[in-house]
Amino acid sequence: MIKDNYKKQIEILKKWAYAYYVNDNPIATDEEYDTLYRAIEAYEKQNPLHVDKNSPTLRVGGVIRDSFSKATHIAQMWSMEDIFDIHGLQTWFDRIHKNVDGAKFFCEPKFDGASLNLIYEDGKLIQAITRGDGKIGEDVTTNVKTIHSVPIEIDYKEKIEIRGEVVIKTADFEIINNQRLEAGETLFANPRNAAAGSLRQLDSSITAKRRLVFQPWGVGFNLLEQPLLSQKMDFVYSLGFLKPPMRENCSTIENIEAFYTKVLTSRSNIPMMMDGMVIKVDNIELQEDLGYTVKYPKWMCAYKFPAVEKITRINAVTFQVGRTGVITPVAEVEPVDIDGVTVERATLHNFDEIQRKDIKINDYVIIIRSGDVIPKIIKVIEERRDGSEKEIIRVRECPTCKSELLDEGALIKCQNLACDDRVVNSIIHYASKKALYIDGLGDKIVEQLHREKLIHSVKDLYDLDLDTLLGLDGFKEKKAQKLLASIESSKGVNLDRFIYALGIEHIGEVAAKAIALNFGFEWINVQAEDLVKIDGFGSEMSASLEEFLHVNKEKIIALTQTVKPVELEQLEVIESIFNGKTVVVTGTMSQSRTEIKALLERYGAKVVGSVSKKTDFVIFGEDAGSKYDKAQSLGVRTLSEEEMKEII
């Protein structure tokens, strides 16, 4: 095989691979493919200096690493709001139309796999990052280059992030599990776990053998000029990426529901596992108008498939102690397979729930699991009772520390702050990604450190040293130093994350941020009567925080002195004619919509997405459309971008 012929053979092999892996429509037999592959491979071994950087033979992997390094997404990867029925869809649909005019929707299947972000620059794949916490993930570039449906080069020179799901076809999943069974290895629970596990193999040659598929569903950072998301995705597909098996542009809720039914009924005919359908506002400008919550974009949601129901029997009830001391009853059930996952336990939530559903030990029950939702019991089958059923007795002492419990009716709490389960679970939460994100401090290590009596509280983490860690099983110097560095880097975190990390019952990320913004470091002295004045705070949340501070104030002060969290900056509003006014932004500006919104908010404006009689100003740029027209018809004052900037 001479060099010129080698180049031609490479192109043939790439076409065959694309037809097989991307189009799912082979144009050569396996024997033909293997024969040409071996011939190219033999030539490359004899002529290593001539190896084409895009040769399919380079997708076999072989790089082995100790661990994955962290990498930062250019634009954040968001979670999605879940809806489960037509009522949830109607609520979401109405909310969209309440805030923006003329929204249309882009719908496609939701594949159940591992989310991935591909970064291309100058036409080359430069980095592949797992979703992680949405801002920082793991760099899996070497592994991803073994996936044939991921182009190594694309015909687009600008920097772009292409997001999608790494999945395994159901048939390939069965093959992998059969191979693992023969090898005496643990089986994967479902294709999603297999895809995620394969993507994070330290040996990239193992990833290459797993026949992973990359299914794109969106873009992150990009300079594409198409006004619709569906148009941007058409461009992405034209670069050589896999198209979804079906997709639909919808205008009405009836259109969306019809397509959902179509996707659901096609579920068994599509080779990759799906767990629902994704609905997105198609117009990019309207997406920016709608904006984001702390967790997800307001312009998209996941319409999940109906939960899978199975019948099983409750063998016993055990009790778990959470990080806030709340005791949760858990049903131990006869193992049952639900959508590829073996379920042996289901939450009973609390004793009010047990009483309401009249749940007893030995009852036959209907249990459901939907996506990542914790399995739960929805109904007792009373017709199957045979007299062997037993009442579930309210616990009087903590199952872990045996101390007396505080019974509040619906909730039963362990008040002992030294309770082992409270300590372990609170530290696990403190180190989690949404809290202080102490990389390397997983559940097992927390349990090990506590078992060895090295940590009895969160503050003890900051007293660990290298010699102590090296004396533990499983710790070598590199691992120990990495953990210590991660603990040290958790210092100086924003105050809202510090408050959230404390694991206060009823205080989530949004509430923690509101507390940090309203009270700063004085939050430690706050009273329930002050908290209820904050928008969204009820008596239950306020009382919970007040009680937590009363019990743990000294410990929090000591931890604060160690961690030294940073106060959030208050937005200093500049006096202007926009103070307290409702403003709508429309059209193409010289700056991004986000920058214009931030500028107006700095001058006291409340920026909203749609025009109404209550709107005070409409700021418009080029190609201003229906919002500008509506403002004119309602007599709302309009300002061009230049006029707005002159005023401020």
Side-chain angles (χ1 to χ4, degrees):
M1 183 184 291
I2 61 173
K3 185 176 180 181
D4 289 344
N5 192 43
Y6 164 72
K7 293 286 187 183
K8 292 177 183 177
Q9 301 299 338
I10 284 287
E11 291 305 313
I12 293 172
L13 194 64
K14 283 166 63 178
K15 286 181 181 178
W16 288 358
Y18 188 84
Y20 182 87
Y21 289 103
V22 179
N23 292 337
D24 198 22
N25 183 28
I27 57 176
T29 65
D30 288 349
E31 183 180 2
E32 288 175 317
Y33 184 92
D34 291 342
T35 299
L36 182 56
Y37 185 98
R38 286 194 294 270
I40 290 173
E41 190 176 41
Y43 174 82
E44 289 174 344
K45 286 180 179 178
Q46 295 172 4
N47 302 274
L49 297 179
H50 295 168
V51 175
D52 190 299
K53 64 181 182 300
N54 292 320
S55 171
T57 63
L58 300 180
R59 291 191 184 253
V60 298
V63 175
I64 301 176
R65 54 171 58 80
D66 296 325
S67 62
F68 294 103
S69 60
K70 298 297 178 186
T72 303
H73 302 292
I74 303 172
Q76 182 167 343
M77 290 187 76
W78 297 87
S79 300
M80 272 190 291
E81 178 182 4
D82 289 337
I83 58 174
F84 297 93
D85 52 36
I86 185 62
H87 303 294
L89 175 61
Q90 186 71 60
T91 299
W92 182 84
F93 188 85
D94 291 344
R95 191 166 69 232
I96 294 295
H97 285 288
K98 180 181 178 182
N99 288 290
V100 296
D101 299 321
K104 295 185 178 180
F105 305 91
F106 176 50
C107 305
E108 59 185 344
K110 181 180 181 296
F111 294 100
D112 199 11
S115 295
L116 184 70
N117 184 28
L118 305 177
I119 303 177
Y120 288 85
E121 189 171 14
D122 196 28
K124 297 178 176 61
L125 175 64
I126 61 169
Q127 200 166 38
I129 310 171
T130 62
R131 184 186 180 280
D133 67 354
K135 296 179 180 178
I136 299 174
E138 292 180 317
D139 188 324
V140 290
T141 309
T142 304
N143 286 1
V144 167
K145 286 183 176 179
T146 69
I147 301 174
H148 284 265
S149 52
V150 174
I152 303 300
E153 292 188 351
I154 59 175
D155 186 19
Y156 180 68
K157 298 301 182 183
E158 301 294 340
K159 181 177 282 191
I160 187 172
E161 290 180 303
I162 296 175
R163 274 84 186 267
E165 208 75 5
V166 174
V167 295
I168 286 181
K169 294 182 179 180
T170 307
D172 290 330
F173 168 71
E174 298 295 339
I175 292 171
I176 291 170
N177 261 356
N178 287 334
Q179 292 170 344
R180 293 176 73 84
L181 185 63
E182 292 174 5
E185 298 173 337
T186 304
L187 301 185
F188 287 117
N190 51 52
R192 178 184 55 185
N193 289 356
S198 302
L199 187 62
R200 298 186 68 257
Q201 287 291 326
L202 295 176
D203 181 351
S204 61
S205 65
I206 297 177
T207 307
K209 295 174 184 176
R210 295 282 171 82
R211 294 175 70 170
L212 299 175
V213 176
F214 178 73
Q215 185 73 57
W217 44 249
V219 290
F221 172 84
N222 70 93
L223 299 174
L224 300 175
E225 296 181 354
Q226 294 89 337
L228 303 181
L229 175 61
S230 56
Q231 294 171 341
K232 290 191 177 188
M233 292 311 299
D234 282 337
F235 176 73
V236 169
Y237 306 143
S238 75
L239 298 175
F241 288 91
L242 194 63
K243 292 182 180 179
M246 56 179 69
R247 58 185 183 140
E248 193 87 9
N249 292 94
C250 300
S251 300
T252 67
I253 195 168
E254 291 77 17
N255 296 153
I256 295 173
E257 187 65 22
F259 183 63
Y260 173 78
T261 302
K262 181 179 177 182
V263 174
L264 181 58
T265 54
S266 303
R267 190 178 186 183
S268 59
N269 300 323
I270 293 175
M272 283 87 74
M273 183 177 283
M274 302 184 300
D275 61 350
M277 179 179 88
V278 180
I279 310 168
K280 304 172 187 174
V281 171
D282 200 15
N283 187 286
I284 304 298
E285 181 179 322
L286 296 186
Q287 290 180 6
E288 293 180 1
D289 286 347
L290 288 162
Y292 302 80
T293 69
V294 172
K295 295 183 179 180
Y296 48 73
K298 295 179 181 178
W299 46 267
M300 68 185 295
C301 69
Y303 192 176
K304 304 299 281 290
F305 287 152
V308 179
E309 299 182 359
K310 290 290 181 75
I311 294 176
T312 185
R313 194 176 195 182
I314 299 176
N315 293 327
V317 172
T318 55
F319 299 92
Q320 290 182 339
V321 184
R323 66 176 185 272
T324 62
V326 172
I327 309 294
T328 302
V330 177
E332 307 287 341
V333 302
E334 291 180 1
V336 59
D337 183 274
I338 302 181
D339 213 11
V341 176
T342 300
V343 173
E344 300 179 86
R345 312 177 87 211
T347 180
L348 295 174
H349 299 292
N350 54 54
F351 276 91
D352 276 6
E353 183 83 348
I354 291 171
Q355 185 176 6
R356 185 175 67 82
K357 293 179 179 175
D358 190 25
I359 299 171
K360 299 178 181 179
I361 296 170
N362 290 334
D363 265 336
Y364 282 92
V365 295
I366 296 175
I367 189 171
I368 67 167
R369 177 183 178 274
S370 177
D372 294 327
V373 177
I374 298 169
K376 63 181 179 180
I377 290 166
I378 61 169
K379 184 181 179 182
V380 172
I381 306 175
E382 295 183 6
E383 294 79 8
R384 294 198 185 187
R385 284 181 169 168
D386 57 12
S388 66
E389 295 75 28
K390 303 173 186 176
E391 296 287 339
I392 300 170
I393 307 301
R394 294 177 78 91
V395 285
R396 301 297 177 189
E397 65 176 30
C398 175
T400 301
C401 69
K402 307 305 178 186
S403 63
E404 186 177 347
L405 298 174
L406 173 66
D407 194 330
E408 296 181 337
L411 297 181
I412 301 175
K413 294 181 181 178
C414 172
Q415 297 288 77
N416 178 15
L417 291 176
C419 176
D420 284 350
D421 277 346
R422 289 200 66 176
V423 170
V424 169
N425 289 327
S426 64
I427 295 174
I428 289 171
H429 173 75
Y430 183 86
S432 64
K433 289 181 178 179
K434 292 182 179 180
L436 266 66
Y437 195 14
I438 302 179
D439 190 23
L441 191 63
D443 299 9
K444 298 297 183 185
I445 292 180
V446 173
E447 291 169 3
Q448 180 185 13
L449 293 171
H450 185 261
R451 189 170 58 248
E452 297 290 342
K453 302 188 186 305
L454 295 174
I455 53 174
H456 305 283
S457 68
V458 167
K459 189 174 182 300
D460 293 336
L461 291 171
Y462 297 94
D463 295 327
L464 294 172
D465 56 47
L466 185 60
D467 290 340
T468 301
L469 292 179
L470 291 178
L472 299 175
D473 289 340
F475 272 90
K476 294 184 179 179
E477 187 165 347
K478 185 176 180 180
K479 179 179 178 180
Q481 287 180 336
K482 181 180 177 181
L483 176 56
L484 291 173
S486 187
I487 292 171
E488 185 65 24
S489 68
S490 70
K491 295 179 180 178
V493 69
N494 281 348
L495 180 59
D496 61 321
R497 292 186 68 175
F498 176 76
I499 294 171
Y500 171 72
L502 295 175
I504 307 165
E505 191 176 353
H506 304 306
I507 304 298
E509 295 170 84
V510 176
K513 190 165 188 176
I515 293 165
L517 283 170
N518 279 275
F519 302 105
F521 288 133
E522 282 301 308
W523 81 278
I524 198 76
N525 300 312
V526 75
Q527 303 292 316
E529 59 197 48
D530 302 315
L531 289 163
V532 293
K533 297 174 184 177
I534 301 176
D535 185 31
F537 273 69
S539 57
E540 190 176 33
M541 290 173 66
S542 303
S544 175
L545 178 58
E546 185 178 57
E547 178 193 9
F548 185 87
L549 292 172
H550 174 72
V551 174
N552 300 293
K553 188 171 183 178
E554 291 183 5
K555 294 183 179 68
I556 298 170
I557 291 172
L559 184 60
T560 301
Q561 291 171 347
T562 298
V563 177
K564 294 181 173 58
V566 178
E567 279 192 326
L568 296 181
E569 289 186 13
Q570 292 282 353
L571 184 65
E572 184 181 342
V573 176
I574 301 170
E575 287 294 326
S576 75
I577 66 167
F578 298 118
N579 276 124
K581 302 299 183 182
T582 300
V583 179
V584 172
V585 179
T586 185
T588 304
M589 306 283 186
S590 63
Q591 296 173 267
S592 72
R593 191 72 58 86
T594 302
E595 290 172 320
I596 295 292
K597 181 181 177 183
L599 177 64
L600 285 164
E601 287 176 343
R602 186 76 191 280
Y603 283 85
K606 178 185 177 184
V607 182
V608 299
S610 59
V611 179
S612 70
K613 292 180 180 179
K614 296 181 180 179
T615 305
D616 296 298
F617 294 95
V618 168
I619 312 298
F620 66 92
E622 294 181 11
D623 302 319
S626 60
K627 292 180 185 178
Y628 178 84
D629 296 337
K630 189 172 183 179
Q632 294 284 352
S633 66
L634 293 174
V636 174
R637 184 176 176 184
T638 58
L639 297 171
S640 68
E641 179 187 359
E642 292 75 16
E643 289 171 329
M644 177 267 292
K645 289 184 175 179
E646 285 177 10
I647 288 172
I648 62 176

